Amino acid sequence: MYDAIVVGGSWAGLSAAMQLVRARRRVLVVDAGRPRNRFAHTAHGFLGQDGRSPAAILETARAQVLAYPTAELRRDEATRAEPCDGAFEVTLASGATARARRLVLATGVIDELPDLPGLRERWGTSVLHCPYCHGYEVAGGRLGVLAVGEQSVHQALLLPDWSADVTLFTNGAFEPTVAQRDALAARGVRVEPRLVAGVVGDGPALAGVRLRGPDGPDGGEVVGLDALFTGSRTRMASPLAEQLGCAFDEGPFGPVIRTDARKETTVAGVYAAGDAARVPHNATWASADGVTAGVYAHQSLALA
Ligand SMILES: Cc1cc2nc3c(=O)[nH]c(=O)nc-3n(C[C@H](O)[C@H](O)[C@H](O)COP(=O)(O)OP(=O)(O)OC[C@H]3O[C@@H](n4cnc5c(N)ncnc54)[C@H](O)[C@@H]3O)c2cc1C
């Protein structure tokens, strides 16, 4: 029996595990190895690690957690979690099972990208989700925002701090109100109402977006861009929280596991941290919430 099983061994999960193993608790981290920002070559804004690759940062973090004698890691996927004799049993894709007195769900989210030719393969390189993470590197360039809904106005209003050349492609996702048009114009953002047919460029680089032509997706004008931002909808990367009966809230991008200030879910003994259990999202916030979950999972064991 472990003291805690942490499902998800990325920013949030390793941060939770670090607190628990430093409190000398037996911890199993189960990780499928698909962190959300694995598509990006560099991670930015994470203090002390700015500009390193996400894989390298996580490799260091993993090694530091596993240096503690009560830490264990399995490269596997947790497929089921259920209460069992006052604890929790987790079943892994390999068929193994493990039990623990506390669970930390740090399973992250999956981006549901707009279904446009050429977009998915540039995700994390020239198609970007967040100006705070990757805006500095494309500052001064021709920037676009591909709207996924009205919330894209917010992203378009921010981007002029990174470049004076910003175009919002509404792409039929919403119709800006007069007030939104005025706000965008005041920030110098152009609004392109024509539909987008695809994203074009050489390799991972971006040449621009192709607008739909009068007779279909081919033959439309290409609007030159150096980077395209889009705020995707997200869904849970794992069904475990739902299986356990945790409550969810509807966030601006998708469902969010409901937690209290200690990052405990509505199911006693189950904690949740990282993108799956908060908005907004970035690696620092995910790590900070992982620390909160780890500390309070430990205190709930110590003071039970
Ligand atoms: C393209 C891109 C670039 C980004 N760049 C930055 C950046 O530069 N700086 C920044 O601060 N933020 C960046 N972010 C945001 C950042 O990636 C997330 O906020 C962060 O990854 C969230 O950490 P997390 O631990 O909650 O989830 P994740 O990092 O997504 O990790 C979840 C882990 O859980 C595992 N998992 C899921 N389900 C299971 C299961 N059932 N069993 C076992 N394991 C499971 C996954 O495989 C994964 O390893 C970027 C996001 C994207 C999409």
Side-chain angles (χ1 to χ4, degrees):
M1 170 87 79
Y2 294 95
D3 289 311
I5 296 176
V6 178
V7 186
S10 179
W11 311 90
L14 291 172
S15 300
M18 180 62 105
Q19 301 303 319
L20 282 155
V21 295
R22 286 184 52 74
R24 307 193 305 165
R25 295 289 175 163
R26 275 196 75 206
V27 176
L28 172 65
V29 179
V30 182
D31 185 38
R34 294 189 291 272
R36 186 179 175 194
N37 60 346
R38 64 190 179 282
F39 305 98
H41 298 303
T42 52
H44 291 281
F46 195 85
L47 209 60
Q49 304 290 333
D50 189 57
R52 282 185 81 199
S53 85
I57 300 171
L58 290 175
E59 194 181 318
T60 304
R62 239 181 343 261
Q64 290 182 346
V65 169
L66 290 175
Y68 289 85
T70 57
E72 219 179 291
L73 171 80
R74 285 195 211 165
R75 269 275 179 247
D76 209 331
E77 183 150 354
T79 53
R80 184 139 202 98
E82 54 202 334
C84 183
D85 299 335
F88 299 96
E89 182 167 278
V90 176
T91 305
L92 308 183
S94 59
T97 58
R99 287 188 185 186
R101 294 163 66 200
R102 299 289 181 270
L103 282 186
V104 179
L105 304 179
T107 42
V109 296
I110 291 178
D111 291 289
E112 292 186 324
L113 297 175
D115 188 16
L116 279 180
L119 187 140
R120 184 170 294 276
E121 48 270 46
R122 295 184 173 83
W123 181 238
T125 50
S126 54
V127 178
L128 306 166
H129 82 302
C130 161
Y132 294 98
C133 297
H134 299 286
Y136 194 88
E137 286 61 44
V138 294
R142 298 161 303 165
L143 307 183
V145 174
L146 178 68
V148 292
E150 206 168 1
Q151 67 271 31
S152 300
V153 171
H154 178 69
Q155 203 171 37
L157 287 172
L158 287 175
L159 274 177
D161 272 24
W162 282 269
S163 174
D165 188 340
V166 179
T167 307
L168 171 64
F169 298 87
T170 53
N171 196 31
F174 77 109
E175 181 60 38
T177 63
V178 173
Q180 286 168 337
R181 280 185 188 282
D182 288 348
L184 289 161
R187 290 284 279 162
V189 177
R190 284 185 296 277
V191 177
E192 173 53 72
R194 286 175 288 176
L195 293 178
V196 173
V199 176
V200 294
D202 282 337
L206 188 67
V209 297
R210 185 181 297 286
L211 302 175
R212 277 180 78 90
D215 304 319
D218 299 327
E221 179 191 334
V222 172
V223 180
L225 293 176
D226 299 304
L228 180 66
F229 287 80
T230 191
S232 58
R233 291 278 306 164
T234 59
R235 62 182 160 86
M236 289 289 121
S238 150
L240 296 191
E242 204 179 336
Q243 286 172 8
L244 286 157
C246 299
F248 287 81
D249 292 311
E250 192 53 36
F253 310 111
V256 179
I257 303 171
R258 188 181 302 160
T259 54
D260 63 13
R262 298 170 174 225
K263 298 309 289 178
E264 190 168 19
T265 69
T266 52
V267 176
V270 178
Y271 293 74
D275 286 6
R278 69 154 13 259
V279 272
H281 298 153
N282 78 16
T284 307
W285 278 318
S287 301
D289 283 356
V291 170
T292 304
V295 164
Y296 287 110
H298 167 251
Q299 292 191 10
S300 77
L301 287 164
L303 307 176

